Amino acid sequence: MRKLEVSLPEQSYSILIGSGLLAKLPDLLEMHGVQKQDRLFLITDDQVAIHYLEPVRRSLSESGFSINFAVVPHGEQSKSVATYESLIGKLIEAGCNRKSVILALGGGVIGDLAGFVAATYMRGIRFFQLPTTLLAHDSSVGGKVAINHALGKNIMGAFYQPKGVIYDVDTLQTLSMRELQSGFAEVIKHGLIWDRSFVDWLFENKDELLQRNPLYLTEAIERACAVKVAVVSQDETEQGIRAILNYGHTIGHAIEGTTSYTTYTHGEAISIGMVGSAWMSEQLHSSNQGLTEMTGELLTHFGLPTKLHTPLPEDELMNYLRRDKKHTSTGFTFVLSPTCGQVRITEHIPEGLIRQALRRIGAC
Ligand SMILES: NC(=O)c1ccc[n+]([C@@H]2O[C@H](COP(=O)([O-])OP(=O)(O)OC[C@H]3O[C@@H](n4cnc5c(N)ncnc54)[C@H](O)[C@@H]3O)[C@@H](O)[C@H]2O)c1
Ligand SMILES: [Zn+2]
């Protein structure tokens, strides 16, 4: 088992990563100060429940914990006000109080939803992230929790840190190949923005990783989380440097928006976005020649797209880019890479360069 510490001004917690951790959950919760008399409320989705709900529920009850649970439909639509309200009702009915503890068992959807329930129920109760997707190495760390509104994704949310992250890598064995590959996009992002040696390691170990060797998955998650922890520890509420975690996301979000979140997974969209950002980086930083090719090669190894399958209108993508949080009256801001393994928030990017990058990734 590997352990990373997240040290924040108000609160610190640990991220435990390894095989067989769900089986040890009762002991791990007690180690984190949860007592048998504290009611547990587990939130998961219907696909995760098939594999993991019963073993987790049974081992916690057999260890003397009182546990209630709720299963929501899988998918982004569960990050809704309606699901949130229904979960709050279930917590009240189960008699949850300020000492109760929420367990978020699932991917980023469950982590964001259950985390938001925890952040707001009785003004905030303890919760643990129990990630079951590779992408959730990103979403379970850093304390951003949220639900969606019909007019905006993640529009109701909070910065609310878990009491711990307990990451059983064995759960990744049942994840679909597409979801696994999608998670690698964020793993690769963490290397590209912060840690060149991690990028090299990903190249070297791609076969073991795609074959889901638990030792290699543990190491990849540990190294990727370490980057996220380093960034978040410096800027918990995104006043500055935390924005570098959005590398590839500006274009990625535009692709997701233009296709109404139906065509590409988040990882696939940011994979294409990172190719666009790499290309712009090369144009602005002669020191970083070859970045686009190298980025494309690594993403391709992990089965990720480097171009749009079907061209999307450049103007529509530009409209989304204008709505990006980082876009101000003085122009476009992108996270770009002056050298591999480092990025910088770069302002005043000319529109012409962005349009060229969009054409490069297949816009028309
Ligand atoms: N809070 C943050 O900082 C942050 C960061 C990145 C993404 N996110 C959010 O994360 C969400 C995406 O997360 P995701 O990609 O994990 O998606 P997800 O939670 O929807 O999981 C993907 C699919 O895999 C299934 N699944 C999950 N674990 C499984 C397992 N072990 N075996 C079999 N099937 C399994 C789920 O049922 C679902 O159908 C988005 O809502 C995004 O906004 C949040
Ligand atoms: Zn992302």
Side-chain angles (χ1 to χ4, degrees):
M1 179 174 77
R2 307 287 181 89
K3 186 173 181 182
L4 284 171
E5 290 294 339
V6 186
S7 301
L8 299 169
E10 307 268 302
Q11 190 199 333
S12 296
Y13 59 93
S14 53
I15 305 168
L16 306 179
I17 310 157
S19 278
L21 295 191
L22 282 183
K24 298 184 191 135
L25 195 55
D27 290 344
L28 292 173
L29 290 177
E30 282 196 291
M31 265 168 50
H32 282 81
V34 181
Q35 297 182 346
K36 297 268 163 70
Q37 64 269 28
D38 301 339
R39 179 164 294 280
L40 304 177
F41 196 100
L42 183 146
I43 299 175
T44 191
D45 75 33
D46 53 0
Q47 293 202 339
V48 176
I50 296 171
H51 303 285
Y52 308 107
L53 175 58
E54 193 42 32
V56 168
R57 196 201 58 75
R58 196 178 333 116
S59 84
L60 287 168
S61 344
E62 282 170 4
S63 308
F65 283 99
S66 321
I67 173 164
N68 292 74
F69 63 89
V71 180
V72 304
H74 67 278
E76 189 70 27
Q77 74 277 5
S78 280
K79 274 173 62 174
S80 66
V81 176
T83 312
Y84 165 77
E85 193 183 3
S86 134
L87 287 171
I88 295 287
K90 289 188 170 128
L91 262 75
I92 299 170
E93 281 162 14
C96 290
N97 58 28
R98 305 213 66 229
K99 291 203 146 193
S100 303
V101 176
I102 289 185
L103 305 176
L105 176 68
V109 163
I110 290 300
D112 281 11
L113 169 69
F116 188 63
V117 170
T120 49
Y121 186 73
M122 296 189 169
R123 298 194 180 82
I125 61 174
R126 292 173 290 174
F127 89 111
F128 286 81
Q129 292 273 15
L130 312 177
T132 65
T133 63
L134 182 57
L135 187 130
H137 83 272
D138 187 10
S139 56
S140 64
V141 175
K144 278 190 183 177
V145 296
I147 57 171
N148 303 329
H149 186 275
L151 299 179
K153 191 165 147 68
N154 294 331
I155 212 81
M156 288 159 278
F159 287 100
Y160 193 70
Q161 303 293 340
K163 287 289 163 199
V165 180
I166 299 170
Y167 209 141
D168 187 336
V169 297
D170 294 344
T171 58
L172 301 178
Q173 299 299 333
T174 54
L175 196 62
S176 72
M177 191 44 133
R178 189 175 180 197
E179 292 295 347
L180 185 79
Q181 289 167 335
S182 190
F184 275 116
E186 299 278 13
V187 172
I188 291 168
K189 176 199 79 180
H190 283 119
L192 289 171
I193 65 171
W194 198 264
D195 184 353
R196 172 72 214 238
S197 68
F198 183 36
V199 174
D200 296 337
W201 184 87
L202 289 168
F203 263 113
E204 281 157 30
N205 297 295
K206 58 183 187 312
D207 296 335
E208 298 288 353
L209 288 165
L210 283 169
Q211 284 157 15
R212 311 182 197 217
N213 179 321
L215 287 175
Y216 288 76
L217 285 174
T218 300
E219 177 148 1
I221 291 169
E222 183 190 15
R223 293 183 75 166
C225 284
V227 173
K228 179 131 191 199
V229 169
V231 175
V232 169
S233 313
Q234 289 180 43
D235 179 18
E236 186 182 354
T237 55
E238 200 164 329
Q239 305 302 313
I241 189 179
R242 188 168 176 160
I244 69 168
L245 297 170
N246 282 322
Y247 184 62
H249 281 60
T250 314
I251 295 177
H253 287 150
I255 295 172
E256 288 182 298
T258 308
T259 53
S260 312
Y261 297 89
T262 53
T263 316
Y264 299 95
T265 64
H266 177 67
E268 289 163 355
I270 67 146
S271 171
I272 302 170
M274 286 192 285
V275 175
S277 305
W279 185 82
M280 284 196 273
S281 303
E282 269 194 65
Q283 307 313 303
L284 295 178
H285 300 280
S286 51
S287 52
N288 208 0
Q289 295 309 303
L291 181 71
T292 315
E293 196 185 334
M294 189 274 277
T295 303
E297 202 184 321
L298 184 56
L299 294 167
T300 307
H301 278 319
F302 282 92
L304 287 157
T306 56
K307 252 186 143 179
L308 298 163
H309 311 307
T310 314
L312 293 172
E314 189 184 309
D315 286 339
E316 235 177 281
L317 290 165
M318 282 308 301
N319 284 341
Y320 270 95
L321 294 181
R322 282 195 195 89
R323 280 187 241 155
D324 181 67
K325 287 201 285 279
K326 297 187 290 313
H327 180 228
T328 61
S329 55
T330 61
F332 293 94
T333 300
F334 272 77
V335 180
L336 296 181
S337 174
T339 51
C340 180
Q342 276 178 32
V343 285
R344 236 182 254 150
I345 298 165
T346 316
E347 295 179 316
H348 310 300
I349 309 279
E351 183 169 335
L353 186 71
I354 301 169
R355 285 182 177 274
Q356 270 181 282
L358 293 178
R359 268 173 257 142
R360 192 65 217 191
I361 57 160
C364 58

Short mmCIF file of all heavy atoms in Angstrom, two decimals, residues 45-48 51-52 74-76 79 106-112 132-136 138-146 148 153-154 170-176 179 182 186 228 242 249 266, ligand 1:
data_model
loop_
_atom_site.label_atom_id
_atom_site.label_comp_id
_atom_site.label_asym_id
_atom_site.label_seq_id
_atom_site.Cartn_x
_atom_site.Cartn_y
_atom_site.Cartn_z
N ASP A 45 -23.17 3.93 -7.66
CA ASP A 45 -24.08 3.85 -8.81
C ASP A 45 -24.40 2.40 -9.15
O ASP A 45 -23.76 1.48 -8.61
CB ASP A 45 -23.55 4.66 -10.01
CG ASP A 45 -22.40 4.01 -10.75
OD1 ASP A 45 -22.34 2.77 -10.83
OD2 ASP A 45 -21.55 4.75 -11.28
N ASP A 46 -25.38 2.20 -10.03
CA ASP A 46 -25.86 0.83 -10.26
C ASP A 46 -24.83 -0.10 -10.88
O ASP A 46 -24.87 -1.31 -10.65
CB ASP A 46 -27.16 0.86 -11.11
CG ASP A 46 -27.02 1.64 -12.40
OD1 ASP A 46 -25.92 2.17 -12.67
OD2 ASP A 46 -28.00 1.73 -13.16
N GLN A 47 -23.86 0.44 -11.63
CA GLN A 47 -22.86 -0.45 -12.22
C GLN A 47 -21.78 -0.83 -11.22
O GLN A 47 -21.32 -1.97 -11.17
CB GLN A 47 -22.22 0.23 -13.44
CG GLN A 47 -23.24 0.40 -14.55
CD GLN A 47 -22.58 0.56 -15.92
OE1 GLN A 47 -21.42 0.91 -16.03
NE2 GLN A 47 -23.34 0.29 -16.95
N VAL A 48 -21.38 0.13 -10.43
CA VAL A 48 -20.37 -0.15 -9.39
C VAL A 48 -20.98 -1.10 -8.36
O VAL A 48 -20.32 -2.02 -7.86
CB VAL A 48 -19.90 1.17 -8.74
CG1 VAL A 48 -18.92 0.90 -7.61
CG2 VAL A 48 -19.27 2.09 -9.78
N HIS A 51 -20.66 -4.95 -8.61
CA HIS A 51 -19.41 -5.61 -8.24
C HIS A 51 -19.05 -5.44 -6.75
O HIS A 51 -18.49 -6.34 -6.15
CB HIS A 51 -18.24 -5.04 -9.06
CG HIS A 51 -18.44 -5.16 -10.54
ND1 HIS A 51 -18.30 -6.35 -11.21
CD2 HIS A 51 -18.79 -4.23 -11.47
CE1 HIS A 51 -18.54 -6.16 -12.49
NE2 HIS A 51 -18.83 -4.88 -12.68
N TYR A 52 -19.31 -4.27 -6.21
CA TYR A 52 -18.66 -3.94 -4.93
C TYR A 52 -19.58 -3.63 -3.77
O TYR A 52 -19.13 -3.60 -2.62
CB TYR A 52 -17.66 -2.77 -5.13
CG TYR A 52 -16.72 -3.05 -6.27
CD1 TYR A 52 -16.83 -2.38 -7.49
CD2 TYR A 52 -15.75 -4.05 -6.14
CE1 TYR A 52 -16.00 -2.69 -8.55
CE2 TYR A 52 -14.92 -4.37 -7.21
CZ TYR A 52 -15.05 -3.68 -8.41
OH TYR A 52 -14.23 -4.02 -9.46
N HIS A 74 -26.09 5.08 -13.05
CA HIS A 74 -24.75 5.51 -13.45
C HIS A 74 -24.84 6.63 -14.48
O HIS A 74 -25.86 6.77 -15.17
CB HIS A 74 -23.95 4.32 -14.01
CG HIS A 74 -24.48 3.81 -15.31
ND1 HIS A 74 -25.54 2.93 -15.38
CD2 HIS A 74 -24.11 4.07 -16.59
CE1 HIS A 74 -25.79 2.66 -16.65
NE2 HIS A 74 -24.95 3.35 -17.41
N GLY A 75 -23.78 7.41 -14.55
CA GLY A 75 -23.73 8.45 -15.59
C GLY A 75 -23.90 9.85 -15.03
O GLY A 75 -24.40 10.05 -13.92
N GLU A 76 -23.50 10.79 -15.87
CA GLU A 76 -23.45 12.21 -15.50
C GLU A 76 -24.82 12.75 -15.05
O GLU A 76 -24.89 13.67 -14.25
CB GLU A 76 -22.93 12.98 -16.73
CG GLU A 76 -22.60 14.42 -16.53
CD GLU A 76 -21.36 14.68 -15.67
OE1 GLU A 76 -20.44 13.84 -15.60
OE2 GLU A 76 -21.32 15.76 -15.05
N LYS A 79 -25.60 13.63 -11.45
CA LYS A 79 -25.08 14.82 -10.75
C LYS A 79 -26.12 15.94 -10.87
O LYS A 79 -25.84 17.03 -11.35
CB LYS A 79 -23.75 15.27 -11.37
CG LYS A 79 -22.54 14.54 -10.79
CD LYS A 79 -21.24 14.86 -11.51
CE LYS A 79 -20.82 16.31 -11.45
NZ LYS A 79 -19.47 16.50 -12.07
N GLY A 106 -17.26 4.89 -6.06
CA GLY A 106 -17.51 4.98 -7.50
C GLY A 106 -16.49 5.87 -8.20
O GLY A 106 -15.42 6.18 -7.66
N GLY A 107 -16.86 6.30 -9.39
CA GLY A 107 -16.00 7.17 -10.18
C GLY A 107 -16.23 8.63 -9.81
O GLY A 107 -16.77 8.96 -8.75
N GLY A 108 -15.85 9.51 -10.75
CA GLY A 108 -15.94 10.94 -10.49
C GLY A 108 -17.36 11.44 -10.28
O GLY A 108 -17.59 12.39 -9.53
N VAL A 109 -18.31 10.80 -10.94
CA VAL A 109 -19.71 11.22 -10.77
C VAL A 109 -20.14 11.03 -9.32
O VAL A 109 -20.68 11.95 -8.69
CB VAL A 109 -20.63 10.43 -11.75
CG1 VAL A 109 -22.08 10.54 -11.33
CG2 VAL A 109 -20.44 10.95 -13.17
N ILE A 110 -19.86 9.85 -8.78
CA ILE A 110 -20.25 9.57 -7.39
C ILE A 110 -19.44 10.43 -6.42
O ILE A 110 -19.97 10.97 -5.45
CB ILE A 110 -20.08 8.06 -7.10
CG1 ILE A 110 -21.14 7.27 -7.88
CG2 ILE A 110 -20.16 7.75 -5.61
CD1 ILE A 110 -22.59 7.60 -7.54
N GLY A 111 -18.15 10.60 -6.70
CA GLY A 111 -17.31 11.41 -5.82
C GLY A 111 -17.81 12.84 -5.74
O GLY A 111 -17.93 13.42 -4.65
N ASP A 112 -18.16 13.41 -6.89
CA ASP A 112 -18.64 14.80 -6.93
C ASP A 112 -20.00 14.94 -6.25
O ASP A 112 -20.25 15.88 -5.48
CB ASP A 112 -18.76 15.29 -8.38
CG ASP A 112 -17.42 15.70 -8.98
OD1 ASP A 112 -16.38 15.40 -8.38
OD2 ASP A 112 -17.42 16.32 -10.06
N THR A 132 -13.25 4.20 -7.84
CA THR A 132 -13.25 2.92 -8.56
C THR A 132 -12.97 3.10 -10.06
O THR A 132 -13.11 2.16 -10.82
CB THR A 132 -14.62 2.20 -8.41
OG1 THR A 132 -15.62 3.01 -9.07
CG2 THR A 132 -15.00 1.97 -6.97
N THR A 133 -12.66 4.32 -10.51
CA THR A 133 -12.22 4.50 -11.90
C THR A 133 -10.81 5.09 -11.87
O THR A 133 -10.38 5.63 -10.85
CB THR A 133 -13.13 5.49 -12.69
OG1 THR A 133 -13.04 6.79 -12.09
CG2 THR A 133 -14.58 5.05 -12.71
N LEU A 134 -10.13 5.00 -13.02
CA LEU A 134 -8.79 5.59 -13.07
C LEU A 134 -8.90 7.11 -13.08
O LEU A 134 -8.11 7.81 -12.46
CB LEU A 134 -8.04 5.09 -14.32
CG LEU A 134 -6.61 5.59 -14.45
CD1 LEU A 134 -5.77 5.25 -13.23
CD2 LEU A 134 -5.96 5.01 -15.70
N LEU A 135 -9.92 7.63 -13.77
CA LEU A 135 -10.09 9.08 -13.82
C LEU A 135 -10.26 9.66 -12.41
O LEU A 135 -9.88 10.80 -12.13
CB LEU A 135 -11.28 9.46 -14.69
CG LEU A 135 -11.40 10.96 -14.90
CD1 LEU A 135 -11.56 11.31 -16.35
CD2 LEU A 135 -12.49 11.59 -14.07
N ALA A 136 -10.83 8.85 -11.53
CA ALA A 136 -11.10 9.35 -10.18
C ALA A 136 -9.82 9.59 -9.36
O ALA A 136 -9.89 10.14 -8.27
CB ALA A 136 -12.05 8.41 -9.44
N ASP A 138 -7.99 11.73 -10.19
CA ASP A 138 -8.01 13.18 -10.32
C ASP A 138 -9.17 13.78 -9.51
O ASP A 138 -8.99 14.65 -8.66
CB ASP A 138 -8.17 13.52 -11.81
CG ASP A 138 -8.05 14.99 -12.10
OD1 ASP A 138 -7.64 15.74 -11.20
OD2 ASP A 138 -8.34 15.39 -13.24
N SER A 139 -10.38 13.23 -9.72
CA SER A 139 -11.56 13.85 -9.11
C SER A 139 -11.64 13.63 -7.60
O SER A 139 -12.25 14.43 -6.89
CB SER A 139 -12.82 13.32 -9.78
OG SER A 139 -12.88 11.93 -9.71
N SER A 140 -11.02 12.55 -7.09
CA SER A 140 -11.17 12.26 -5.65
C SER A 140 -10.21 13.08 -4.79
O SER A 140 -10.33 13.09 -3.57
CB SER A 140 -10.95 10.77 -5.39
OG SER A 140 -9.63 10.41 -5.71
N VAL A 141 -9.26 13.73 -5.43
CA VAL A 141 -8.23 14.48 -4.69
C VAL A 141 -8.41 15.97 -4.97
O VAL A 141 -8.61 16.36 -6.12
CB VAL A 141 -6.82 14.03 -5.15
CG1 VAL A 141 -5.73 14.86 -4.50
CG2 VAL A 141 -6.62 12.55 -4.85
N GLY A 142 -8.38 16.77 -3.95
CA GLY A 142 -8.40 18.22 -4.19
C GLY A 142 -9.64 18.91 -3.69
O GLY A 142 -9.69 20.13 -3.62
N GLY A 143 -10.68 18.13 -3.36
CA GLY A 143 -11.82 18.72 -2.65
C GLY A 143 -12.84 19.48 -3.48
O GLY A 143 -13.70 20.14 -2.92
N LYS A 144 -12.77 19.37 -4.82
CA LYS A 144 -13.84 20.02 -5.59
C LYS A 144 -15.01 19.04 -5.67
O LYS A 144 -14.84 17.91 -6.14
CB LYS A 144 -13.37 20.33 -7.01
CG LYS A 144 -12.59 21.61 -7.14
CD LYS A 144 -12.40 21.91 -8.62
CE LYS A 144 -11.56 23.14 -8.84
NZ LYS A 144 -11.33 23.39 -10.28
N VAL A 145 -16.18 19.46 -5.20
CA VAL A 145 -17.37 18.61 -5.27
C VAL A 145 -18.48 19.44 -5.91
O VAL A 145 -18.51 20.66 -5.72
CB VAL A 145 -17.78 18.10 -3.87
CG1 VAL A 145 -16.72 17.21 -3.28
CG2 VAL A 145 -18.08 19.25 -2.91
N ALA A 146 -19.35 18.80 -6.68
CA ALA A 146 -20.35 19.60 -7.39
C ALA A 146 -21.45 18.77 -8.03
O ALA A 146 -21.28 17.57 -8.27
CB ALA A 146 -19.67 20.42 -8.49
N ASN A 148 -24.58 19.34 -11.32
CA ASN A 148 -24.81 20.14 -12.53
C ASN A 148 -26.19 20.81 -12.51
O ASN A 148 -27.12 20.32 -11.87
CB ASN A 148 -24.77 19.24 -13.77
CG ASN A 148 -23.46 18.47 -13.90
OD1 ASN A 148 -22.41 18.96 -13.47
ND2 ASN A 148 -23.50 17.28 -14.46
N LYS A 153 -22.43 22.91 -16.20
CA LYS A 153 -21.84 21.75 -15.51
C LYS A 153 -21.13 22.23 -14.25
O LYS A 153 -20.51 23.29 -14.24
CB LYS A 153 -20.86 21.11 -16.50
CG LYS A 153 -20.35 19.75 -16.07
CD LYS A 153 -19.68 19.05 -17.24
CE LYS A 153 -18.53 18.16 -16.83
NZ LYS A 153 -18.86 16.99 -16.06
N ASN A 154 -21.22 21.45 -13.20
CA ASN A 154 -20.53 21.71 -11.92
C ASN A 154 -20.84 23.10 -11.37
O ASN A 154 -19.99 23.73 -10.73
CB ASN A 154 -19.01 21.59 -12.08
CG ASN A 154 -18.60 20.16 -12.41
OD1 ASN A 154 -19.26 19.21 -12.01
ND2 ASN A 154 -17.51 20.02 -13.13
N ASP A 170 -7.67 -2.76 -7.25
CA ASP A 170 -8.29 -3.99 -7.80
C ASP A 170 -9.62 -3.67 -8.48
O ASP A 170 -10.04 -4.40 -9.37
CB ASP A 170 -8.52 -5.02 -6.69
CG ASP A 170 -7.20 -5.52 -6.12
OD1 ASP A 170 -6.16 -5.30 -6.78
OD2 ASP A 170 -7.22 -6.08 -5.01
N THR A 171 -10.28 -2.60 -8.05
CA THR A 171 -11.57 -2.27 -8.66
C THR A 171 -11.39 -1.93 -10.15
O THR A 171 -12.33 -2.06 -10.94
CB THR A 171 -12.25 -1.06 -7.97
OG1 THR A 171 -11.38 0.07 -8.03
CG2 THR A 171 -12.60 -1.37 -6.52
N LEU A 172 -10.19 -1.52 -10.54
CA LEU A 172 -9.98 -1.12 -11.94
C LEU A 172 -10.04 -2.32 -12.89
O LEU A 172 -10.13 -2.15 -14.10
CB LEU A 172 -8.65 -0.38 -12.08
CG LEU A 172 -8.53 0.89 -11.22
CD1 LEU A 172 -7.17 1.54 -11.38
CD2 LEU A 172 -9.63 1.89 -11.58
N GLN A 173 -10.01 -3.53 -12.32
CA GLN A 173 -10.08 -4.73 -13.17
C GLN A 173 -11.42 -4.84 -13.88
O GLN A 173 -11.52 -5.44 -14.95
CB GLN A 173 -9.84 -6.01 -12.34
CG GLN A 173 -8.47 -6.07 -11.67
CD GLN A 173 -7.30 -6.05 -12.66
OE1 GLN A 173 -7.42 -6.47 -13.80
NE2 GLN A 173 -6.16 -5.52 -12.21
N THR A 174 -12.49 -4.31 -13.29
CA THR A 174 -13.81 -4.47 -13.91
C THR A 174 -14.22 -3.25 -14.75
O THR A 174 -15.30 -3.23 -15.34
CB THR A 174 -14.90 -4.69 -12.82
OG1 THR A 174 -14.81 -3.62 -11.88
CG2 THR A 174 -14.72 -6.02 -12.12
N LEU A 175 -13.35 -2.27 -14.81
CA LEU A 175 -13.65 -1.04 -15.57
C LEU A 175 -13.56 -1.34 -17.08
O LEU A 175 -12.69 -2.10 -17.49
CB LEU A 175 -12.62 0.01 -15.18
CG LEU A 175 -12.89 1.45 -15.50
CD1 LEU A 175 -14.15 1.94 -14.79
CD2 LEU A 175 -11.70 2.31 -15.06
N SER A 176 -14.43 -0.72 -17.88
CA SER A 176 -14.34 -0.98 -19.32
C SER A 176 -13.03 -0.40 -19.86
O SER A 176 -12.46 0.53 -19.28
CB SER A 176 -15.52 -0.32 -20.05
OG SER A 176 -15.34 1.08 -20.05
N GLU A 179 -13.15 3.36 -20.48
CA GLU A 179 -13.05 4.19 -19.27
C GLU A 179 -11.62 4.17 -18.72
O GLU A 179 -11.14 5.17 -18.20
CB GLU A 179 -14.04 3.73 -18.20
CG GLU A 179 -15.51 3.96 -18.55
CD GLU A 179 -15.91 5.44 -18.67
OE1 GLU A 179 -15.13 6.32 -18.26
OE2 GLU A 179 -17.01 5.70 -19.20
N SER A 182 -9.57 6.42 -20.90
CA SER A 182 -9.96 7.79 -20.62
C SER A 182 -9.25 8.31 -19.36
O SER A 182 -8.77 9.45 -19.32
CB SER A 182 -11.48 7.78 -20.44
OG SER A 182 -11.97 9.06 -20.39
N GLU A 186 -5.86 11.80 -18.05
CA GLU A 186 -5.55 12.67 -16.91
C GLU A 186 -4.21 12.28 -16.27
O GLU A 186 -3.47 13.14 -15.77
CB GLU A 186 -6.65 12.63 -15.84
CG GLU A 186 -8.02 13.10 -16.31
CD GLU A 186 -8.23 14.62 -16.32
OE1 GLU A 186 -7.27 15.38 -16.20
OE2 GLU A 186 -9.41 15.03 -16.48
N LYS A 228 -1.05 16.22 -8.42
CA LYS A 228 -2.26 16.97 -8.06
C LYS A 228 -2.13 17.52 -6.63
O LYS A 228 -2.48 18.68 -6.37
CB LYS A 228 -3.50 16.07 -8.18
CG LYS A 228 -4.77 16.82 -7.79
CD LYS A 228 -5.89 16.69 -8.75
CE LYS A 228 -7.01 17.67 -8.43
NZ LYS A 228 -8.28 17.34 -9.03
N ARG A 242 -3.43 26.57 -9.43
CA ARG A 242 -4.28 25.37 -9.62
C ARG A 242 -4.82 25.29 -11.05
O ARG A 242 -5.13 24.21 -11.53
CB ARG A 242 -5.42 25.36 -8.58
CG ARG A 242 -6.20 24.05 -8.61
CD ARG A 242 -7.14 23.86 -7.42
NE ARG A 242 -7.89 22.63 -7.61
CZ ARG A 242 -8.52 21.95 -6.65
NH1 ARG A 242 -8.48 22.39 -5.41
NH2 ARG A 242 -9.18 20.84 -6.91
N HIS A 249 -7.67 21.27 -21.17
CA HIS A 249 -9.10 21.30 -20.85
C HIS A 249 -9.85 22.42 -21.56
O HIS A 249 -11.06 22.32 -21.74
CB HIS A 249 -9.32 21.44 -19.34
CG HIS A 249 -9.15 20.14 -18.61
ND1 HIS A 249 -7.97 19.43 -18.63
CD2 HIS A 249 -10.00 19.41 -17.84
CE1 HIS A 249 -8.11 18.34 -17.90
NE2 HIS A 249 -9.34 18.30 -17.40
N HIS A 266 -14.72 12.45 -21.20
CA HIS A 266 -13.93 13.60 -20.78
C HIS A 266 -12.44 13.39 -21.13
O HIS A 266 -11.78 14.27 -21.67
CB HIS A 266 -14.12 13.82 -19.27
CG HIS A 266 -13.30 14.93 -18.72
ND1 HIS A 266 -13.52 16.24 -19.05
CD2 HIS A 266 -12.25 14.92 -17.86
CE1 HIS A 266 -12.64 17.00 -18.41
NE2 HIS A 266 -11.86 16.22 -17.68
N1 LIG B 1 -13.92 17.05 -8.66
C1 LIG B 1 -12.96 17.10 -9.53
O1 LIG B 1 -11.90 17.66 -9.29
C2 LIG B 1 -13.15 16.43 -10.85
C3 LIG B 1 -12.05 16.23 -11.71
C4 LIG B 1 -12.25 15.54 -12.89
C5 LIG B 1 -13.52 15.04 -13.20
N2 LIG B 1 -14.56 15.24 -12.34
C6 LIG B 1 -15.89 14.72 -12.64
O2 LIG B 1 -15.78 13.30 -12.72
C7 LIG B 1 -16.84 12.82 -13.53
C8 LIG B 1 -16.31 11.74 -14.44
O3 LIG B 1 -15.78 10.70 -13.64
P1 LIG B 1 -15.54 9.23 -14.22
O4 LIG B 1 -14.86 9.31 -15.51
O5 LIG B 1 -14.92 8.45 -13.12
O6 LIG B 1 -17.01 8.76 -14.58
P2 LIG B 1 -18.13 7.88 -13.87
O7 LIG B 1 -18.14 8.07 -12.40
O8 LIG B 1 -19.39 8.16 -14.60
O9 LIG B 1 -17.67 6.39 -14.19
C9 LIG B 1 -17.62 5.95 -15.52
C10 LIG B 1 -18.45 4.68 -15.74
O10 LIG B 1 -17.75 3.58 -15.19
C11 LIG B 1 -18.60 2.83 -14.32
N3 LIG B 1 -17.71 2.31 -13.28
C12 LIG B 1 -17.11 3.00 -12.30
N4 LIG B 1 -16.26 2.22 -11.62
C13 LIG B 1 -16.35 1.00 -12.18
C14 LIG B 1 -15.70 -0.24 -11.92
N5 LIG B 1 -14.73 -0.35 -11.02
N6 LIG B 1 -16.04 -1.31 -12.66
C15 LIG B 1 -16.98 -1.20 -13.64
N7 LIG B 1 -17.61 -0.05 -13.95
C16 LIG B 1 -17.29 1.02 -13.22
C17 LIG B 1 -19.62 3.81 -13.83
O11 LIG B 1 -20.81 3.15 -13.44
C18 LIG B 1 -19.82 4.70 -15.05
O12 LIG B 1 -20.75 4.12 -15.92
C19 LIG B 1 -17.42 14.01 -14.25
O13 LIG B 1 -18.67 14.32 -13.70
C20 LIG B 1 -16.43 15.13 -13.97
O14 LIG B 1 -17.05 16.40 -13.89
C21 LIG B 1 -14.40 15.92 -11.18
#
